[in-house]
Structure formats: C-alpha cells, structure tokens
Amino acid sequence: MAKLKLEELNRISVEEFKNKEKNPVILVLDNVRSLNNVGSAFRTADAFLVQKIYLCGITGTPPNKEIHKTALGATESVDWEYVSSTVELVRKLKSEGWKIISLEQTDNSVMLQDFEFQKQDKLCFIFGNEVFGVDDEVINESHLTLEIPQFGTKHSLNISVSIGMVIWDYFSKTTKTK
C-alpha cells in the first residue's frame, strides 16, 4: 500500500470546480464565532460540491488569514455570500423552494441516521453559534431539525465536525460512488 502523490489525486482546478454541477445543498452559518470553523465549512463544501455557503450575523468572512488557514483556498472555489439576518435569509430561501433544516437538539428533532435525504430536494443546512446554537427564531422558520446522536457528557460537537458528518451522511445516502 502506498500513499498517493499529489499529482495522482486528480484534483480539479478552481475554474473546473466552478463549472462542475453542484449538489443541491447550501450551508448557512448562523452567528458562528470561530474563524477556523468557517474555514472548515469551506473545505467540506469544496470536498462535496456544495452549491453555496451563507455567512450570517457575526460570522467572519473571507478574506481572513484565520479562515484561510483551514480553508486552504476553498474560499476561492466555493460560492459564498454574507447576509446580516439569518431569519430574513431563511424566509427568502423557503420562498425559493429550499427545504430548511437546522442542526439542533429540539423536542421534535429527527436523528440524523433516521433521516432519508431525497436527491431531488434542495436542502439548506443551518449550523449555529458555538455556545447558543441556532437562533430560536431560525429554528421556528425551519421545516425540521436534525440531531446528531451523542452519548457522552458534552452533548455537543464542534460545528466543523457536525458539518462534515451531515454532508457525508447526505452524500453517502444520495450518491453512488465508484
């Protein structure tokens, strides 16, 4: 077994990425404080051909050296937009036919492993503040909340980990690979 060399990974250029068909998925970062989490969101979005990222409220935006440190150039490939109000954005996306899914622990949340993604659905995943989670008003505008089951003492995951798990779960359930 040998580790692949960089030239063997068949990486595409930023231009090729921009022209490639994307998954009908967008990410919304609702008042995310950590610039490393923002950068990680870009990296994951690039890896799985996410259509767009919305950065809302206090969420930092590129160009920023802390975001760049974890994004490693993905801020150049992934489309993104800053919007001050997450609630207003969610209402706009709903009117455009996006299914709004907040990642949050609620009295009515669906466990991630139990949720069946439909490839034809346009999905908007919202990830909230590291301390306070997704804003209550945003949750109330959501079609549903998804929860990642946890069994330890913390009952919370880092946003970048949550994004990776949710996008991988979506991708694995809707895409046939090799």
Side-chain angles (χ1 to χ4, degrees):
M1 185 178 320
K3 189 162 109 176
L4 293 175
K5 294 178 175 73
L6 225 51
E7 57 273 7
E8 295 175 307
L9 294 176
N10 299 317
R11 292 186 179 175
I12 62 175
S13 69
V14 170
E15 185 177 325
E16 290 170 311
F17 180 92
K18 293 245 182 226
N19 292 322
K20 208 163 177 67
E21 183 178 350
K22 307 294 185 299
N23 286 303
V25 171
I26 57 177
L27 304 179
V28 173
L29 303 186
D30 177 32
N31 292 299
V32 172
R33 298 179 310 164
S34 166
L35 298 175
N36 290 321
N37 281 333
V38 175
S40 292
F42 274 95
R43 281 267 296 279
T44 302
D46 178 279
F48 292 101
L49 293 170
V50 167
Q51 192 168 320
K52 188 172 188 175
I53 296 178
Y54 286 96
L55 308 170
C56 301
I58 66 166
T59 305
T61 62
N64 181 293
K65 80 176 184 176
E66 289 299 310
I67 293 172
H68 180 74
K69 191 167 37 173
T70 48
L72 292 178
T75 56
E76 303 302 316
S77 56
V78 177
D79 286 341
W80 66 273
E81 183 178 336
Y82 173 79
V83 177
S84 60
S85 171
T86 309
V87 173
E88 289 177 22
L89 172 64
V90 165
R91 289 176 181 149
K92 176 183 174 281
L93 293 172
K94 282 172 73 173
S95 74
E96 295 172 359
W98 290 89
K99 186 172 193 171
I100 309 300
I101 302 173
S102 288
L103 271 290
E104 193 57 79
Q105 298 161 332
T106 68
D107 59 355
N108 204 20
S109 54
V110 176
M111 291 298 166
L112 181 60
Q113 73 272 19
D114 297 331
F115 188 72
E116 290 302 321
F117 295 103
Q118 304 301 317
K119 180 74 173 174
Q120 70 276 10
D121 285 345
K122 296 180 356 179
L123 302 175
C124 168
F125 295 110
I126 302 174
F127 299 87
N129 179 278
E130 292 87 344
V131 175
F132 304 110
V134 177
D135 182 87
D136 287 345
E137 197 173 356
V138 173
I139 290 171
N140 290 332
E141 289 287 337
S142 299
H143 292 103
L144 67 107
T145 54
L146 279 182
E147 182 176 341
I148 299 169
Q150 298 161 60
F151 308 100
T153 62
K154 298 302 174 202
H155 287 281
S156 69
L157 293 167
N158 184 284
I159 290 164
S160 62
V161 172
S162 296
I163 291 171
M165 292 176 74
V166 168
I167 297 303
W168 170 249
D169 193 65
Y170 163 82
F171 188 82
S172 68
K173 288 177 179 175
T174 61
T175 306
K176 301 284 186 237
T177 58
K178 295 183 182 182

